[in-house]
Amino acid sequence: MTTSIRIGSGRNELLQKVEALSGQHLANCYQCGTCAAGCPFHQAMDLLPDALIQHLRLGLPGILERQTFWICAGCDTCSDRCPRGLDIARIMEALRQICLREGGDHPALTQLERADLGALPPIALVASMRRNSG
């Protein structure tokens, strides 16, 4: 998946989108690694959560091609343990939303073919159900 987000001269667009969607200020992260140390899935991630946040802050390319935010289960262990009070699970959810929105508006789940549903990352379906159920 390629990204259409451009890095501008000050703050990059991806960082701005993540902060707007998550409600988190990523500059608060001081890279202590507590989030990664508490994550039950850290061994499967291609970039640990604190490193992912640093990549976002620096505007490094390839962030949306990472698997870290798809592997994140949203268990909130990282968020609960963060000494700076960052809700890292919300940051991961924001990255998933940005990836899913890259192609524009998406149809409702009932409009997708069974084969297309099978191709979606499971966390995308879970997150959608969480947001759309009352």
Side-chain angles (χ1 to χ4, degrees):
M1 176 184 297
T2 59
T3 177
S4 63
I5 303 209
R6 296 178 309 278
I7 297 175
S9 57
R11 292 169 42 92
N12 68 63
E13 289 182 44
L14 180 56
L15 177 64
Q16 290 175 349
K17 280 187 175 185
V18 168
E19 288 185 337
L21 286 169
S22 69
Q24 304 301 299
H25 187 60
L26 275 61
N28 288 339
C29 176
Y30 57 71
Q31 303 294 292
C32 68
T34 303
C35 54
C39 178
F41 297 106
H42 74 276
Q43 291 179 331
M45 293 179 173
D46 57 355
L47 194 62
L48 295 175
D50 56 322
L52 184 70
I53 290 171
Q54 184 68 357
H55 278 64
L56 279 165
R57 289 172 47 193
L58 295 174
L60 298 178
I63 294 167
L64 295 179
E65 286 79 31
R66 296 294 186 164
Q67 295 300 307
T68 296
F69 49 89
W70 293 115
I71 293 170
C72 171
C75 67
D76 288 328
T77 302
C78 54
S79 301
D80 291 341
R81 294 182 178 185
C82 179
R84 300 289 295 190
L86 279 174
D87 191 339
I88 296 146
R90 290 184 74 179
I91 294 167
M92 298 296 178
E93 174 62 18
L95 287 164
R96 288 190 291 264
Q97 287 179 24
I98 291 167
C99 277
L100 292 172
R101 292 176 182 175
E102 277 289 305
D105 291 330
H106 296 279
L109 290 176
T110 56
Q111 296 174 342
L112 292 174
E113 298 292 329
R114 184 173 286 282
D116 293 333
L117 282 173
L120 289 174
I123 192 68
L125 298 174
V126 170
S128 175
M129 293 301 179
R130 284 181 183 161
R131 279 192 308 276
N132 296 317
S133 62

